[in-house]
Amino acid sequence: MTDSQVIINGGGPVGLGLAIDLALKGVESIVLERTTELHRIPKGQNLTQRTGEHFRAWGIADQVRAATPIPPEFGNAGLVTYGRLLSDCHYDWFQRSRVRPYYFADNERLPQCNLEGVLRDRVAGLPQVAFVQGAEVTGVTQDGAGVRVSYEANGANHAVEAAYAVGCDGARSVTRDAGGIRNEIDHEGPRMALLVFRSMELHDLLERFPGKSIFNVMHPAMDGYWQFLGRVDLNGGWFFHAPVPDGATRDSFDFRGFLHKMAGVEFALEFEHIGFWDLRISHARTYRNDRVFIAGDACHSHPPYGGYGVNTGLEDARNLGWKLDATLKGWAGARLLDSYTAERHPVFRSVSRDFISRMIEDFRGFTQEFSPERDKASFDKAWAARANADDSDVTEFLPHYSGSPIVLGEPGGQSGAKGKHGFDAKPGHHLAPQALPGAVDLWDALGPGFTLMDLRGDNVLSTEFASAAESLGVPFKVLTLRSRALRKAYGCNAILVRPDQFIAWVGSSAGSDTKSILARAIGQ
């Protein structure tokens, strides 16, 4: 007899998000969280519109917005400067608003501890979730019947059993190691400092850049690595990441002078936290070993460059949630759970290669080739080209599953995180919103399971899909729209949408074997 259906080790945003996702589908879970209080060190703040969709799906969008210390009207865009923070040489950067039309929600900016508070409140109202704090996991074992997780809490040893276990327990994941999943380091960089401080004087100095929340100071001495400053709130709260000498300690290094040098001016400040971390990019070889799964930083760990970490982890939770639900309820195919690794692994590989590593190499290459001291004219020309370039770190960040084994796309498709935003419907890609007749919100019109969007009123196709879903036991909804405008926008006659709002198939009734299409989409 099991204690729950799923054990989740780690009660951070990814673990709590997964628990909520499962609970809303009726799946019970136990969340084991090592700490008893929220971490107050700000991190994981730059959240995408896609993450905003997760909040909408989990019923916490309004609560997240209320917990945000930087109001949306202020703006959440960034700035890159050269040499020093207050340099006249700068350009706009990370303007997530550019891709807002392609999503059903807004992006948000709030410290991870604020988000965790909202998630904990949501979990407290869900009877399907048991949230255990102060639980230190000591072992994970499995057999053909289920998983057993041992942990210590309140000075006593405990054990719980479930059908599946998911490690959302960070870069040093106990679940990953105990579950026999190998982790590999792809890149190692310098020792980094994280400084959290308060300074209204710095806030006043940066009013010259209205609406900016994050600042990246490009400097040749950093060898491509970032001096990264971000607002925590509008009351003088800041965080700052930067490389420091290997032997630097809180007492031996002049962090106040370091910040003043970075800014190019002295300003009053009060430190709230000085910490250190080692810059590295690591990636698990697989995200599953039979009944044990990992998600979030347990799968993929990297420096906080671009806010990809928590966004990627929350997408892990949405991807895995519906697949565990389908398996536990008996309508999943034998290969559905394997598709979790098949879809999510290449996405982070692309995040690492096409975004994080590329940005480090880009900064390094630019500062090595161009210098205002050596050749001002060449530097100015190259800097102007950067300033006028598309904000590709935002506009090209498009996680997709084009090469997924459960998606019916073009032959030879490859999954990844880089793409071009658009409204056309592509298998393996996220469904972009469109206005529906009668001011109906498409998001609310989609079903909780699979949805067939019939854009032509094709009764034959709709009937055959509904029949196939019934025979396979798949929760299914037909959404008949009959709209020439929608057919033009999406570039097709019909769209099969998965529970996570990704597209499994596009087409028409001509030559469509609906049962085979749906069977493949659920891993048969």
Side-chain angles (χ1 to χ4, degrees):
M1 181 175 179
T2 60
D3 299 284
S4 189
Q5 293 173 287
V6 180
I7 301 167
I8 300 171
N9 182 12
V14 177
L16 292 174
L18 177 59
I20 294 168
D21 199 76
L22 292 171
L24 295 177
K25 296 173 172 63
V27 176
E28 296 180 347
S29 67
I30 297 173
V31 180
L32 303 175
E33 168 54 28
R34 180 176 56 84
T35 65
T36 56
E37 297 182 359
L38 291 173
H39 294 288
R40 293 297 173 183
I41 299 173
K43 57 181 180 177
Q45 298 189 105
N46 198 350
L47 305 176
T48 65
Q49 286 92 350
R50 172 57 180 166
T51 292
E53 292 184 356
H54 303 330
F55 299 153
R56 187 172 177 180
W58 297 336
I60 58 171
D62 291 342
Q63 293 86 339
V64 168
R65 175 54 57 90
T68 302
I70 298 178
E73 58 270 20
F74 177 83
N76 284 325
L79 195 78
V80 174
T81 69
Y82 183 86
R84 56 189 175 86
L85 177 62
L86 299 176
S87 169
D88 292 329
C89 192
H90 55 79
Y91 59 81
D92 289 344
W93 173 67
F94 255 97
Q95 300 178 87
R96 293 210 184 274
S97 59
R98 290 190 176 189
V99 298
R100 174 60 180 88
Y102 305 102
Y103 295 90
F104 292 90
D106 294 318
N107 63 301
E108 300 289 354
R109 180 173 179 81
L110 73 165
Q112 182 171 311
C113 55
N114 294 42
L115 174 58
E116 287 186 23
V118 173
L119 292 167
R120 287 189 180 193
D121 288 344
R122 183 70 169 113
V123 160
L126 295 171
Q128 298 89 350
V129 183
F131 185 37
V132 183
Q133 298 185 66
E136 186 85 34
V137 171
T138 56
V140 180
T141 59
Q142 62 175 312
D143 57 27
V147 182
R148 180 182 178 88
V149 176
S150 305
Y151 67 95
E152 295 179 358
N154 300 318
N157 295 321
H158 306 267
V160 287
E161 296 181 350
Y164 299 98
V166 185
C168 305
D169 47 346
R172 295 179 174 85
S173 171
V174 173
T175 312
R176 182 189 63 220
D177 295 342
I181 298 174
R182 183 175 173 183
N183 193 48
E184 297 178 340
I185 296 175
D186 297 333
H187 177 95
E188 288 193 277
R191 179 175 172 80
M192 303 288 290
L194 167 59
L195 312 178
V196 183
F197 62 95
R198 305 204 73 83
S199 175
M200 280 305 299
E201 189 171 339
L202 181 59
H203 171 84
D204 294 340
L205 287 168
L206 289 174
E207 284 190 329
R208 68 187 69 184
F209 303 126
K212 298 297 187 290
S213 295
I214 53 175
F215 305 84
N216 194 345
V217 183
M218 183 190 296
H219 196 286
M222 297 295 111
D223 191 33
Y225 297 105
W226 291 9
Q227 296 181 107
F228 186 47
L229 177 76
R231 295 182 184 274
V232 177
D233 51 46
L234 299 183
N235 299 313
W238 302 92
F239 70 86
F240 178 70
H241 292 274
V244 293
D246 287 342
T249 66
R250 182 188 179 102
D251 298 323
S252 68
F253 192 78
D254 181 10
F255 286 105
R256 190 178 300 270
F258 188 47
L259 285 169
H260 292 163
K261 184 178 180 180
M262 175 275 301
V265 64
E266 293 188 2
F267 56 91
L269 67 103
E270 295 181 5
F271 285 111
E272 294 184 343
H273 172 81
I274 297 175
F276 302 92
W277 52 280
D278 295 322
L279 189 150
R280 65 168 56 95
I281 300 173
S282 63
H283 197 191
R285 297 187 69 177
T286 180
Y287 295 177
R288 177 195 185 191
N289 181 6
D290 198 9
R291 293 180 175 272
V292 176
F293 297 80
I294 53 175
D297 287 353
C299 299
H300 38 73
S301 178
H302 61 82
Y305 287 7
Y308 298 113
V310 67
N311 293 298
T312 303
L314 292 172
E315 192 68 65
D316 293 342
R318 283 298 300 284
N319 187 285
L320 182 58
W322 76 268
K323 295 173 181 177
L324 285 173
D325 173 57
T327 303
L328 289 164
K329 290 178 179 172
W331 55 267
R335 294 187 294 274
L336 185 62
L337 289 179
D338 283 337
S339 74
Y340 171 58
T341 294
E343 291 188 338
R344 298 302 300 155
H345 194 277
V347 166
F348 180 75
R349 186 172 60 234
S350 176
V351 167
S352 174
R353 178 186 64 233
D354 298 325
F355 292 92
I356 299 168
S357 296
R358 179 193 57 77
M359 287 189 285
I360 296 171
E361 293 165 2
D362 172 57
F363 273 38
R364 178 180 295 149
F366 183 87
T367 55
Q368 289 176 349
E369 184 174 356
F370 300 102
S371 167
E373 290 79 21
R374 292 196 310 265
D375 187 339
K376 183 71 161 56
S378 295
F379 175 87
D380 288 345
K381 182 179 179 180
W383 189 263
R386 297 178 71 90
N388 293 324
D390 182 37
D391 193 357
S392 62
D393 297 327
V394 169
T395 60
E396 294 182 6
F397 180 61
L398 186 67
H400 63 88
Y401 312 133
S402 296
S404 168
I406 63 169
V407 163
L408 289 91
E410 294 293 330
Q414 294 185 351
S415 305
K418 188 174 183 179
K420 184 181 173 104
H421 282 84
F423 292 105
D424 51 322
K426 298 179 181 178
H429 284 248
H430 167 268
L431 177 71
Q434 287 290 327
L436 300 187
V440 175
D441 192 319
L442 175 57
W443 176 276
D444 294 329
L446 296 171
F450 278 80
T451 301
L452 177 71
M453 293 175 57
D454 179 2
L455 309 182
R456 185 177 287 279
D458 189 336
N459 291 330
V460 173
L461 183 71
S462 297
T463 300
E464 289 182 352
F465 259 116
S467 176
E470 184 177 6
S471 67
L472 294 168
V474 176
F476 196 82
K477 177 179 181 178
V478 174
L479 183 59
T480 304
L481 298 169
R482 292 190 186 90
S483 168
R484 180 177 298 177
L486 290 177
R487 292 197 299 273
K488 182 178 179 181
Y490 286 125
C492 61
N493 293 328
I495 307 170
L496 182 62
V497 186
R498 307 187 330 184
D500 58 355
Q501 289 79 51
F502 275 76
I503 298 168
W505 169 87
V506 300
S508 66
S509 59
S512 297
D513 183 346
T514 55
K515 187 169 185 178
S516 294
I517 292 168
L518 192 56
R520 179 168 172 181
I522 62 171
Q524 286 195 8

